[in-house]
Amino acid sequence: MPEAPKTSSKLPENYNYNLQEKNAKALEFIEDVTANADEVQKRVLAEILSSNANVEYLKRHGLNGHTDRDTFKKVIPVITYEDIQPDIKRIANGDTSQILCSKPISEFLTSSGTSGGERKLMPTIEEEMGRRSLLYSLLMPVMSQFVPGLEKGKGMYFLFIKSEAKTPGGLVARPVLTAYYKSSHFRNRPYDPYTNYTSPNEAILCPDSYQSMYSQLLCGLCQNKEVLRVGAVFASGFIRAIRFLEKHWRVLCNDVRTGNLNPQITDPAVRDAVGKILQPDPKLADFIESECSKESWQGIITRLWPNTKYVDVIVTGTMSQYIPTLDYYSNGLPLVCTMYASSECYFGVNLNPLYEPCEVSYTLIPTMAYFEFLPVNRSNNSINGVTNNSKEHLELVNLADVKLGQEYELVVTTYAGLYRYRVGDVLRVAGFKNKAPQFSFICRKNVVLSIDADKTDEVELQNAVKNAVNHLVPFDANVSEYTSYANTTTIPGHYVLYWEMSLKGSTPIPPSVFEDCCLTIEESLNSVYRQGRVSDKSIGPLEIKIVEAGTFDKLMDYAISRGASINQYKTPRCVKFAPIVELLNSRVEAEYFSPKCPKWVPGHKQWCNHD
């Protein structure tokens, strides 16, 4: 993920010395806060509680101005989003009293996690932008220890804004990165070699995703020799950019050859910004055409951008499914995950960025928030089985007290008004940096399907299938068993459902009915999924594959042959293991796709009645 600008202004004569000095200070900061992790955490909690001593939420739970850890843990409950949703709704509807935070809520950051099918709204305050920028400013000093000379070239990052909405009370609600890219921290950043990107701001901030992608790729091609690192936020987004290039390289080549921007790019600000970069270059156009017209696109990154040293994308968690594709396109360049962050809070950095993706761990920076950890045990026969601890018996562990190898659910208390909030991420302690733990990201709790930013859980999938099956009733048919698979071999990736049918009627079921089933499932899924289908184009049409009768018996036989207990076996609602996917695909009788996009509008459904 690209980093925030530092505070430098113009390029002074002794800049290299200053750059080294700034890098040294950043690394010294990491040393200091990790060496004193517990003391820093106590101070952070005291700061949060003293600053918010008079807010309604803390008074409601009887904290009574206390700022010590013991009292805080004793009286403040561990919560999920649903516990504070009434407070969030009050703020969204325009209540400006000090409900969660003493400072004014500046906007809501929309989470990729959902509640009731709608994006969760995370409160934030102006000063949080500074805290995020601090974490960003640590990334390149760390990276420069392993890959020197990055200040001598540019980064080709594919960065995009997403749609935003206004709450009934007038607050903006948008994803955290959209908020960052639109902020003065990013737009008005002073010159800094570490934030020197091939994409002009105007291309990044263009709301039309086609024009944005086209312009960013074109600018990256024009500056191909200067590019030292490439990336996007998620692996899926970077692969979409490469597939976009596969589809449009001929027109991009024509722009490079003639120096004239494709008339399809109509945004005036984008045309002006790209026009300052684009110059006629027939030789470069010939080179691009020669590489892109070859039958194999293996290593296309290093072929077109020959000085690239690494790919900067998130490939942990569900994004790990894209690693083989990234390796193919990049000729095995290092895949670097630099930081760990969410809408709730920015958490930590990767201090060993060149480690293999399976070995990546993040060091939580103790100044970002107050961190606690709920021990979890994932059962072997459950896909995501995090133990459901009752709220009355939650024994949380402090940052400095976690144990090596143990898995925990992350719980945060933030400066912006979240108190003992369960983030939903399951982490494993992989090691320590001084006295601060380093965590590997294991999984997102309860998620069974994910292609991009979407997160679909088992309950949601079950309800969607239940709604779809209503189309089969007139034919006296039902779905006797089903499972699902996130197919990322297509770009964009898409959800696949395998259905084994129970047919009692004699009337054949027309293909259009199964297509209606596909669309109904999509209409039933959360707004993040539907946005990915409609607006971001990051998810392809959902597919239903009808499998032969007895397929799920074969699936059970296979699981038992590998040691599963016949008494405890349950059909998995999502499959990932390649032999199981192959077994299912070998027994497919028919395939159907969703015929059109589901309905989606920005914001929450209940806001649509407001101006």
Side-chain angles (χ1 to χ4, degrees):
M1 188 182 290
E3 59 291 334
K6 329 299 183 299
T7 55
S8 59
S9 50
K10 293 186 178 176
L11 192 63
E13 290 178 13
N14 61 341
Y15 188 78
N16 284 336
Y17 169 77
N18 287 346
L19 184 64
Q20 290 171 4
E21 186 178 40
K22 284 199 305 181
N23 286 356
K25 282 184 177 177
L27 298 174
E28 188 181 331
F29 170 80
I30 294 171
E31 284 293 329
D32 182 50
V33 295
T34 56
N36 301 287
D38 199 46
E39 293 84 352
V40 173
Q41 282 281 277
K42 282 180 188 173
R43 175 175 57 75
V44 165
L45 181 62
E47 282 177 5
I48 293 170
L49 298 182
S50 58
S51 170
N52 296 308
N54 294 315
V55 303
E56 183 184 319
Y57 183 85
L58 294 180
K59 283 184 172 180
R60 188 189 304 159
H61 291 288
L63 190 62
N64 298 327
H66 288 279
T67 60
D68 63 288
R69 193 147 64 183
D70 290 344
T71 307
F72 171 73
K73 289 189 171 219
K74 188 176 178 183
V75 303
I76 301 300
V78 178
I79 60 163
T80 61
Y81 184 76
E82 285 67 31
D83 295 311
I84 53 168
Q85 199 163 18
D87 293 319
I88 297 288
K89 282 182 178 175
R90 283 172 58 195
I91 299 168
N93 288 331
D95 190 333
T96 56
S97 58
Q98 295 185 2
I99 299 171
L100 294 173
C101 186
S102 63
K103 295 185 173 69
I105 301 301
S106 55
E107 63 182 309
F108 283 113
L109 303 176
T110 54
S111 169
S112 57
T114 57
S115 177
E118 299 287 356
R119 285 179 180 268
K120 294 176 183 176
L121 301 174
M122 297 300 159
T124 193
I125 55 179
E126 288 289 350
E127 69 178 56
E128 278 297 288
M129 193 65 77
R131 238 179 299 279
R132 290 182 209 119
S133 292
L134 166 68
L135 197 72
Y136 280 130
S137 74
L138 304 176
L139 304 182
M140 291 309 291
V142 169
M143 197 69 215
S144 295
Q145 296 177 103
F146 300 90
V147 186
L150 292 170
E151 72 280 0
K152 295 172 183 172
K154 294 187 176 184
M156 182 178 72
Y157 285 89
F158 300 107
L159 310 176
F160 304 92
I161 59 168
K162 296 196 176 184
S163 59
E164 57 187 54
K166 278 204 171 178
T167 70
L171 288 173
V172 175
R174 56 192 176 186
V176 63
L177 289 173
T178 297
Y180 175 62
Y181 300 147
K182 287 190 169 186
S183 75
S184 60
H185 285 256
F186 184 82
R187 287 185 295 107
N188 303 328
R189 63 192 187 274
Y191 176 80
D192 186 301
Y194 288 153
T195 60
N196 193 5
Y197 304 133
T198 55
S199 298
N201 287 357
E202 292 82 358
I204 293 167
L205 295 171
C206 178
D208 184 306
S209 59
Y210 175 89
Q211 293 189 56
S212 179
M213 178 75 87
Y214 187 99
S215 305
Q216 292 191 58
L217 263 170
L218 180 59
C219 291
L221 288 167
C222 289
Q223 303 167 82
N224 73 320
K225 293 286 175 63
E226 297 176 68
V227 171
L228 298 184
R229 53 199 170 105
V230 300
V233 178
F234 292 116
S236 53
F238 187 77
I239 291 169
R240 274 203 312 281
I242 301 307
R243 290 292 170 92
F244 187 98
L245 180 62
E246 278 190 84
K247 195 173 180 180
H248 301 288
W249 66 263
R250 289 176 180 83
V251 279
L252 286 160
C253 235
N254 186 61
D255 290 5
V256 173
R257 189 178 303 282
T258 62
N260 296 318
L261 180 57
N262 187 331
Q264 281 187 301
I265 308 307
T266 57
D267 186 304
V270 174
R271 290 194 68 86
D272 185 51
V274 175
K276 293 172 182 172
I277 297 168
L278 180 62
Q279 301 294 330
D281 193 337
K283 188 177 177 184
L284 176 59
D286 288 343
F287 169 70
I288 295 167
E289 185 176 352
S290 168
E291 292 300 332
C292 291
S293 57
K294 288 176 181 173
E295 188 175 338
S296 171
W297 268 50
Q298 184 171 0
I300 196 68
I301 298 298
T302 49
R303 283 155 49 188
L304 291 178
W305 295 276
N307 299 317
T308 305
K309 298 179 185 296
Y310 63 89
V311 182
D312 184 350
V313 287
I314 294 172
V315 286
T316 49
T318 56
M319 288 295 135
S320 62
Q321 61 197 331
Y322 296 103
I323 290 172
T325 309
L326 287 169
D327 285 341
Y328 176 82
Y329 284 129
S330 73
N331 247 354
L333 281 175
L335 304 177
V336 172
C337 307
T338 55
M339 65 182 288
Y340 172 38
S342 76
S343 304
E344 293 91 336
C345 177
Y346 278 27
F347 304 120
V349 297
N350 179 1
L351 297 182
N352 295 291
L354 294 186
Y355 276 15
E356 290 293 317
C358 62
E359 297 175 344
V360 165
S361 65
Y362 302 99
T363 302
L364 297 201
I365 301 300
T367 56
M368 299 306 295
Y370 181 67
F371 300 114
E372 296 177 272
F373 301 88
L374 174 62
V376 299
N377 295 295
R378 294 181 302 138
S379 54
N380 292 329
N381 60 352
S382 168
I383 301 166
N384 301 286
V386 178
T387 53
N388 292 317
N389 299 282
S390 67
K391 289 186 182 178
E392 295 77 25
H393 298 96
L394 296 182
E395 292 293 332
L396 270 62
V397 178
N398 296 326
L399 178 72
D401 298 329
V402 296
K403 301 286 186 261
L404 187 66
Q406 172 68 51
E407 292 182 2
Y408 299 91
E409 182 184 346
L410 180 59
V411 177
V412 296
T413 296
T414 69
Y415 286 87
L418 296 177
Y419 305 96
R420 309 196 85 190
Y421 179 86
R422 294 174 70 164
V423 174
D425 290 353
V426 178
L427 311 175
R428 180 186 298 135
V429 183
F432 291 86
K433 167 65 174 176
N434 296 324
K435 293 182 179 177
Q438 298 175 307
F439 292 95
S440 298
F441 181 90
I442 300 302
C443 65
R444 180 79 182 170
K445 195 174 69 172
N446 299 328
V447 172
V448 296
L449 286 173
S450 178
I451 294 291
D452 190 52
D454 54 299
K455 297 177 176 70
T456 298
D457 65 33
E458 192 171 318
V459 173
E460 189 176 9
L461 183 63
Q462 173 67 35
N463 288 336
V465 171
K466 185 179 172 185
N467 292 340
V469 167
N470 289 329
H471 292 292
L472 304 175
V473 172
F475 301 90
D476 203 12
N478 202 353
V479 175
S480 59
E481 200 57 275
Y482 76 91
T483 191
S484 63
Y485 170 61
N487 185 348
T488 56
T489 60
T490 61
I491 297 294
H494 68 288
Y495 289 8
V496 178
L497 272 72
Y498 296 92
W499 281 9
E500 186 172 317
M501 302 297 296
S502 170
L503 302 169
K504 295 174 185 172
S506 55
T507 309
I509 304 171
S512 62
V513 171
F514 286 112
E515 290 174 357
D516 288 342
C517 288
C518 291
L519 183 59
T520 298
I521 290 171
E522 294 199 299
E523 295 276 10
S524 303
L525 294 177
N526 62 71
S527 65
V528 179
Y529 174 89
R530 287 180 282 114
Q531 180 176 347
R533 281 279 285 121
V534 177
S535 175
D536 303 340
K537 306 287 193 264
S538 58
I539 305 172
L542 182 139
E543 179 182 10
I544 290 176
K545 294 188 176 189
I546 307 300
V547 296
E548 298 170 17
T551 295
F552 282 85
D553 288 339
K554 296 278 187 189
L555 195 63
M556 182 176 71
D557 292 344
Y558 181 80
I560 291 168
S561 74
R562 289 178 54 86
S565 164
I566 193 166
N567 295 320
Q568 294 181 307
Y569 177 80
K570 290 189 299 184
T571 300
R573 289 302 173 220
C574 176
V575 295
K576 297 172 185 172
F577 190 45
I580 291 180
V581 176
E582 288 169 16
L583 187 156
L584 290 164
N585 283 333
S586 72
R587 299 176 65 87
V588 170
E589 293 182 325
E591 302 168 347
Y592 307 96
F593 287 89
S594 189
K596 61 183 181 180
C597 285
K599 297 184 185 71
W600 174 82
V601 291
H604 286 201
K605 285 178 188 171
Q606 61 266 34
W607 299 348
C608 297
N609 299 322
H610 297 267
D611 293 330

